[in-house]
């Protein structure tokens, strides 16, 4: 009862505050913005379209850096998507983010093309075809070719780019929301609900959905209420890393200021404690803190933009390994349920990835492989067993029974703990 009173009081306080993300917090926003620009200098992985999107939605710009990154997207990321298309791989999510990134720079999407089956067609034509394939896959297997997060991104990217989304494509997303199919593993996916909310709101705003407008409205309200019901007592929606997209969705769906103030303050608090050090996390959080959403891309005109964001020279910090060692117990659970246990002592403050690398070097029968993603490295194989997206499986990570909200490269080992790596279906 006391907790309810406290939460109610917090909500009442939030509703009396404006959903103002600037003023005294302007320096925090500039710091996040600078950190995002600095991330462009990292030589690791492909250029990130989500980072570009966030930079373009920001109030402050470094035009030279953004132009350079746009060129990298048009070369390196473009070539990677082309390779995937040539190999017959589904690239709905990456292609959608690429479209949004280009659109955010006011780039003419009709000048971007890909080749498949010896036929060259525009980016948006390929994205429409990807969405048709996703829709058909849902029809006979009751799930998308990729997942509903990528499916939602595809709907959003087409809609924001002024392309009329096939009613049947939108209807599949509405039905998935109605039937609560936005699941990752065994839990509700806040990220997917948020992305679906923004996609369907864009469809509603466009006036192109002629199937059943009342059904669309009911679905949008259901998603909105689900996001609000997932807000923790500290203001985060789901967890610290899903709050940015969730707030974007609430703002896009026209929430009152009281629906976002507590969550925005929670993100500010997390940002001040350096929770958002991963560029992908910043890219989803910064727009929400500036009251922008991915729907805002539709109205960008790229005229008379700021160009005052200057990066001060920084001396790279030298982090010496801690002399304090902590024990990490690593349990690997295969798809069949068989378990194997290992242990390794690592310097306090090591990342989980560093701990696994130390364990592998001990030659105790533990091996792993990793792949890159926009969020950083993720485990693809452990002890010779694959967990493929094509098989609807992934390696679920937990620490002392609690699911990790960060990836292997970001999660830090600061105390003795048991890490469980489990081959899980979704």
């Amino acid at each position: 009862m006391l907790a309810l009173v406290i939460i109610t009081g917090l909500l009442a306080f939030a509703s009396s505050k404006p959903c103002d993300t600037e003023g005294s917090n302007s320096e925090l926003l500039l710091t996040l913005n600078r950190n995002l620009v600095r991330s462009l200098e990292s030589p690791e992985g492909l250029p990130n379209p989500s980072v570009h999107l966030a930079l373009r939605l920001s109030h402050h710009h470094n035009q030279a850096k953004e132009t350079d990154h746009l060129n990298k997207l048009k070369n390196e990321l473009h070539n990677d998507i082309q390779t995937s298309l040539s190999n017959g791989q589904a690239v709905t999510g990456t292609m959608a983010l690429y479209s949004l990134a280009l659109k955010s720079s006011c780039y003419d999407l009709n000048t971007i093309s890909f080749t498949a089956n010896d036929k060259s067609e525009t980016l948006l034509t390929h994205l429409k075809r990807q969405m048709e394939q996703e829709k058909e896959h849902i029809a006979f297997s009751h799930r998308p070719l990729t997942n509903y997060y990528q499916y939602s991104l595809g709907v959003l990217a087409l809609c924001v780019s002024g392309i009329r989304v096939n009613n049947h494509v939108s209807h599949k997303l509405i039905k998935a929301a109605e039937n609560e199919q936005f699941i990752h593993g065994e839990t509700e996916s806040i990220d997917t609900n948020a992305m679906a909310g923004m996609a369907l709101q864009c469809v509603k705003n466009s006036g192109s959905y002629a199937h059943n407008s009342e059904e669309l409205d009911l679905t949008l309200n259901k998603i909105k209420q689900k996001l609000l019901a997932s807000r923790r007592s500290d203001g985060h929606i789901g967890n610290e890393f899903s709050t940015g997209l969730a707030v974007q969705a609430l703002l896009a769906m026209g929430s009152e200021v009281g629906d976002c103030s507590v969550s925005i303050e929670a993100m500010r608090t997390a940002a001040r404690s350096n929770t958002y050090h991963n560029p992908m996390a910043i890219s989803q959080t910064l727009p929400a803190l500036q009251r922008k959403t991915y729907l805002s891309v539709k109205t960008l005109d790229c005229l008379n933009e700021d160009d005052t964001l200057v990066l001060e020279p920084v001396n790279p910090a030298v982090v010496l390994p801690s002399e304090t060692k902590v024990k990490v117990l690593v349990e690997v659970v295969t798809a069949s349920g068989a378990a194997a246990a290992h242990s390794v002592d690592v310097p306090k403050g090591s990342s989980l990835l560093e701990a696994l690398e130390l364990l592998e070097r001990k030659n105790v029968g533990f091996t792993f492989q990793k792949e890159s993603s926009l969020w950083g490295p993720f485990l693809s194989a452990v002890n010779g067993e694959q967990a493929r997206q094509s098989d609807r499986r992934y390696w679920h990570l937990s620490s002392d029974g609690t699911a990790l909200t960060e990836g292997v490269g970001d999660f830090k080992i600061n105390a003795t703990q048991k890490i469980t790596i489990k081959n899980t279906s979704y």
Side-chain angles (χ1 to χ4, degrees):
M1 182 62 184
L2 178 59
L4 179 61
V5 171
I6 292 172
I7 293 171
T8 303
L10 283 172
L11 293 177
F13 176 64
S15 65
S16 67
K17 294 172 63 180
C19 200
D20 177 24
T21 61
E22 299 186 72
S24 62
N25 298 288
S26 59
E27 190 55 42
L28 175 64
L29 296 178
L30 281 171
T31 297
L32 290 173
N33 212 328
R34 290 188 186 103
N35 289 344
L36 210 51
V37 173
R38 283 196 181 94
S39 75
L40 302 181
E41 299 170 356
S42 172
E44 298 179 8
L46 292 166
N48 189 328
S50 181
V51 167
H52 190 81
L53 185 53
L55 289 173
R56 296 297 306 143
L57 286 172
S58 182
H59 300 317
H60 303 285
H61 300 278
N62 184 311
Q63 298 289 351
K65 294 283 188 182
E66 290 176 15
T67 299
D68 182 57
H69 192 244
L70 176 64
N71 290 330
K72 288 182 179 179
L73 287 170
K74 291 190 298 177
N75 287 287
E76 296 171 33
L77 183 64
H78 186 100
N79 291 340
D80 186 73
I81 294 174
Q82 178 61 72
T83 299
S84 296
L85 283 173
S86 300
N87 293 333
Q89 298 171 323
V91 287
T92 304
T94 306
M95 187 174 283
L97 273 176
Y98 181 41
S99 302
L100 288 168
L102 292 172
K103 174 72 175 173
S104 70
S105 285
C106 300
Y107 201 84
D108 185 357
L109 299 184
N110 291 319
T111 65
I112 301 294
S113 61
F114 291 99
T115 300
N117 300 320
D118 298 322
K119 186 178 181 181
S120 178
E121 293 178 305
T122 67
L123 164 60
L124 293 176
T125 299
H126 276 283
L127 183 55
K128 286 181 70 174
R129 182 172 292 110
Q130 290 277 313
M131 293 308 298
E132 288 296 320
Q133 293 172 359
E134 296 273 12
K135 174 179 69 70
E136 291 167 7
H137 200 272
I138 293 172
F140 67 77
S141 69
H142 308 292
R143 62 191 184 193
L145 196 58
T146 54
N147 53 55
Y148 279 112
Y149 181 86
Q150 294 191 47
Y151 190 95
S152 299
L153 256 176
V155 172
L156 178 64
L158 288 173
C159 179
V160 164
S161 300
I163 302 298
R164 184 184 181 278
V165 180
N166 184 316
N167 279 339
H168 295 293
V169 169
S170 300
H171 191 245
K172 293 293 186 188
L173 188 57
I174 290 171
K175 284 299 180 184
E178 285 182 0
N179 297 326
E180 302 191 350
Q181 292 180 289
F182 300 156
I183 304 296
H184 182 70
E186 299 177 353
T187 60
E188 187 91 29
S189 172
I190 298 301
D191 288 345
T192 304
N193 273 285
M195 195 59 72
M198 284 190 277
L200 292 175
Q201 185 65 50
C202 185
V203 170
K204 174 181 168 64
N205 293 349
S206 72
S208 64
Y209 187 69
H211 191 76
N212 186 332
S213 59
E214 182 180 354
E215 184 182 39
L216 175 57
D217 288 339
L218 288 172
T219 300
L220 283 167
N221 186 61
K222 179 173 183 174
I223 291 173
K224 178 179 176 180
Q225 296 307 318
K226 192 175 287 290
L227 292 175
L228 292 173
S230 300
R231 184 164 53 197
R232 306 185 318 202
S233 59
D234 65 358
H236 285 292
I237 301 174
N239 60 52
E240 292 85 348
F241 301 98
S242 57
T243 305
L245 282 182
V247 168
Q248 283 196 52
L250 289 172
L251 292 170
M253 291 187 286
S255 291
E256 299 296 330
V257 290
D259 290 338
C260 64
S261 295
V262 171
S263 297
I264 285 179
E265 191 57 43
M267 287 191 292
R268 289 172 182 157
T269 301
R272 291 189 183 100
S273 62
N274 198 34
T275 298
Y276 305 123
H277 49 81
N278 183 302
M280 190 67 181
I282 300 174
S283 75
Q284 295 181 348
T285 302
L286 185 59
L289 288 175
Q290 296 181 317
R291 293 186 68 184
K292 296 289 187 69
T293 81
Y294 291 162
L295 269 67
S296 305
V297 172
K298 193 166 188 175
T299 56
L300 288 178
D301 60 14
C302 306
L303 299 175
N304 302 315
E305 290 186 327
D306 167 89
D307 191 18
T308 62
L309 192 65
V310 178
L311 296 185
E312 301 294 336
V314 292
N315 294 320
V318 178
V319 180
L320 298 176
S322 172
E323 295 182 3
T324 303
K325 295 294 183 73
V326 293
K327 182 177 292 293
V328 181
L329 305 175
V330 178
E331 179 186 43
V332 179
V333 182
T334 65
S336 67
H342 310 275
S343 68
V344 62
D345 293 329
V346 303
K348 183 179 179 180
S350 299
S351 69
L352 176 54
L353 179 59
E354 291 168 335
L356 297 181
E357 288 171 342
L358 282 173
L359 178 59
E360 185 174 45
R361 288 200 291 269
K362 285 181 63 179
N363 294 317
V364 292
F366 174 83
T367 62
F368 75 97
Q369 295 174 12
K370 67 182 188 297
E371 294 181 20
S372 61
S373 76
L374 296 181
W375 279 95
F378 67 95
L379 299 181
S380 57
V382 179
N383 290 347
E385 181 171 286
Q386 297 277 346
R388 299 185 182 91
Q389 180 178 317
S390 58
D391 297 327
R392 304 279 165 176
R393 305 196 71 85
Y394 71 104
W395 289 104
H396 180 269
L397 306 176
S398 61
S399 172
D400 294 333
T402 300
L404 300 189
T405 57
E406 296 180 279
V408 290
D410 293 317
F411 182 76
K412 301 300 182 184
I413 306 291
N414 289 309
T416 296
Q417 57 196 278
K418 177 183 178 182
I419 298 292
T420 300
I421 306 173
K422 183 178 181 181
N423 194 332
T424 306
S425 63
Y426 66 92

